[in-house]
Amino acid sequence: MATVTLFIDPKPGSVADFQRIGRKFKFTRVPSEGEFVDMGQDKNGSALDYEVVLVHHTPLKPGGIDAEVYMKRVELPQEIKQRSPRSKRKK
């Protein structure tokens, strides 16, 4: 198990500073840049999907933190549509 600290960019398309989520998270492995992470739903029931944009490995950091993971909020259905082979076909 990998213990990570998460930093998020809270809104899709935002240019705000990353905000640290206040607790440690356990993953089966450290997420990699470009992967998507599902963090559940917000208070309005909207999906909290994030794309990993940077990983800072910290094996020597006190407190047993393996990495700091920086993520930006995305609209996953929109991301899937943009990356779909069908969307890349010429019409």
Side-chain angles (χ1 to χ4, degrees):
M1 296 294 279
T3 303
V4 302
T5 302
L6 299 177
F7 294 84
I8 61 168
D9 183 3
K11 296 180 183 173
S14 162
V15 292
D17 291 337
F18 287 95
Q19 299 172 358
R20 181 175 184 251
I21 297 179
R23 64 182 180 95
K24 301 174 188 176
F25 288 83
K26 295 274 188 190
F27 286 85
T28 53
R29 61 174 178 73
V30 174
S32 297
E33 186 178 329
E35 289 186 324
F36 294 95
V37 177
D38 178 348
M39 297 294 293
Q41 295 181 334
D42 65 14
K43 62 184 175 193
N44 299 319
S46 298
L48 290 172
D49 293 312
Y50 293 88
E51 180 179 3
V52 177
V53 295
L54 179 83
V55 178
H56 178 219
H57 293 272
T58 56
L60 302 178
K61 191 169 188 169
I65 301 294
D66 297 304
E68 295 173 342
V69 177
Y70 293 80
M71 306 184 306
K72 68 176 183 176
R73 185 146 179 209
V74 296
E75 299 289 341
L76 191 58
Q78 198 171 2
E79 292 289 326
I80 292 169
K81 185 176 180 181
Q82 288 176 354
R83 295 164 192 249
S84 168
R86 284 189 217 168
S87 68
K88 296 177 182 174
R89 290 184 196 153
K90 294 183 180 178
K91 295 182 178 183

